[in-house]
Amino acid sequence: MNNSDNAPANPESCSHDCGSCSSNCGERKTSCNLRVPPHQGSSIKKVIGIASGKGGVGKSTITSLMAVALRQQGLNVAILDADITGPSIPKGFGLTEHAKSEDNAIVPCLSKTGVKVMSINLLLDDQNEPVIWRGPMIAGVVKQFWTNVLWGDVDIMLVDLPPGTGDVPLTVFQTLPIDGVVIVTSPQQLVAMVVAKAVHMAEKLAVPVLGMIENYSYIKCPKCGEIIHPFGKSSTEEAATELNLPILGSLPIDPEIASSFDAGAIESANMEIIIPIVSHIQSLI
Ligand SMILES: Nc1ncnc2c1ncn2[C@@H]1O[C@H](COP(=O)(O)OP(=O)(O)OP(=O)(O)O)[C@@H](O)[C@H]1O
Ligand SMILES: [Mg+2]
Ligand SMILES: [Zn+2]
């Protein structure tokens, strides 16, 4: 084992398997050496991860809105749903069919407007059946979504990550050539604290963090247009300054967003607010 400034005080904490070891010791060369190529039938230009420290902040909703906005630009867009135990992308797009296979590879499903989607829910017979697998197996499935799916030509792939800093974000950050991570947050104090963990994880694995999107930022009164901040003063700005990250944009609490996602009609949602956020992100990658 090489010694370096980063070597852990206790070398026992290194398992000598960089794929599963979180120790940042001298044995870890760069995060790139764990990368695997996608299926040979795939050509994927850019990959963006959508992450958060906490659950329920709106990652899947924002991933879907971003995909629709990018697709509206005429780009080839894909969503890799890396949330194996809580997959929700197919629901937002109203996809209920079974993904087909071709030459031992899986073919992603196509949304109404042509967004390519792969999710565990498109492979299960019963979408309500829970996936009860241990972490390494779940991470293995996510890896297969990269290596065994015939993505074809993709300009931008969005990876909807499960919350937190567990096996799946670790696998995605190490295996996929991520061009940048977008961190979704909400205004409460507690969220800012857990967001820092997600940011630091990406940084440790040398994955660039593009910035933060604040969801549930405000409510616009439908009668008079007054802006209400239901959570009081947001902690996002403070967290962004502390973490030296830009705020890429913010989304209001909008019942229409929730209802269109629930109805599988996210492609018909109002894109006005997400479009400038997406343009901002595109300028960074
Ligand atoms: N801006 C918003 N306005 C109103 N409802 C929203 C908004 N963003 C998300 N929601 C709703 O909040 C719920 C949680 O959102 P979502 O599933 O996107 O969060 P998530 O971060 O992906 O959650 P998980 O951590 O479980 O994967 C959903 O029912 C969604 O429709
Ligand atoms: Mg989600
Ligand atoms: Zn009002």
Side-chain angles (χ1 to χ4, degrees):
M1 185 166 124
N2 298 331
N3 261 331
S4 83
D5 292 341
N6 287 334
N10 173 12
E12 292 305 313
S13 61
C14 168
S15 70
H16 307 290
D17 173 9
C18 299
S20 60
C21 176
S22 59
S23 165
N24 221 359
C25 75
E27 230 170 88
R28 190 186 296 288
K29 302 285 183 302
T30 62
S31 59
C32 325
N33 59 8
L34 294 167
R35 297 235 174 109
V36 292
H39 189 279
Q40 56 185 17
S42 304
S43 162
I44 301 160
K45 293 200 184 108
K46 296 278 179 196
V47 184
I48 298 177
I50 291 84
S52 78
K54 199 170 176 277
V57 292
K59 288 176 298 299
S60 303
T61 307
I62 289 176
T63 303
S64 305
L65 288 169
M66 283 173 63
V68 177
L70 288 163
R71 182 71 195 135
Q72 286 179 356
Q73 293 179 18
L75 296 170
N76 288 321
V77 184
I79 302 180
L80 189 162
D81 184 355
D83 196 343
I84 304 298
T85 52
S88 46
I89 297 294
K91 184 171 165 44
F93 284 88
L95 291 169
T96 51
E97 73 253 42
H98 229 270
K100 301 195 170 50
S101 61
E102 203 180 290
D103 299 334
N104 270 336
I106 313 165
V107 182
C109 290
L110 270 190
S111 78
K112 291 177 203 77
T113 63
V115 176
K116 297 175 182 179
V117 178
M118 182 43 60
S119 168
I120 194 75
N121 258 6
L122 300 171
L123 301 173
L124 297 175
D125 286 330
D126 176 4
Q127 297 210 348
N128 294 319
E129 195 61 33
V131 169
I132 318 171
W133 299 331
R134 292 191 191 279
M137 194 155 155
I138 291 173
V141 171
V142 172
K143 207 163 163 180
Q144 284 187 43
F145 281 179
W146 176 250
T147 56
N148 286 22
V149 171
L150 267 172
W151 290 106
D153 282 335
V154 172
D155 295 307
I156 299 195
M157 171 182 279
L158 305 178
V159 182
D160 181 22
L161 291 159
T165 51
D167 284 337
V168 166
L170 181 65
T171 300
V172 168
F173 290 166
Q174 290 183 327
T175 318
L176 273 59
I178 302 277
D179 293 285
V181 174
V182 171
I183 307 275
V184 180
T185 180
S186 72
Q188 300 101 313
Q189 284 288 327
L190 193 74
V191 177
M193 199 178 66
V194 284
V195 157
K197 287 190 201 285
V199 171
H200 291 144
M201 179 189 196
E203 284 172 354
K204 273 199 166 183
L205 298 167
V207 174
V209 180
L210 303 176
M212 289 155 65
I213 298 179
E214 187 182 78
N215 196 16
Y216 312 131
S217 291
Y218 58 91
I219 300 169
K220 193 173 172 186
C221 174
K223 292 219 174 79
C224 67
E226 187 194 345
I227 302 285
I228 302 152
H229 293 274
F231 300 110
K233 192 180 171 294
S234 161
S235 62
T236 303
E237 221 162 286
E238 209 176 294
T241 310
E242 226 164 82
L243 296 164
N244 198 20
L245 289 175
I247 297 176
L248 303 166
S250 51
L251 273 81
I253 297 174
D254 178 358
E256 240 184 80
I257 293 180
S259 57
S260 59
F261 195 86
D262 283 347
I266 197 70
E267 286 160 298
S268 333
N270 185 341
M271 293 286 139
E272 204 182 315
I273 291 172
I274 200 77
I275 285 171
I277 300 176
V278 165
S279 305
H280 191 166
I281 292 169
Q282 285 177 283
S283 72
L284 299 173
I285 56 169

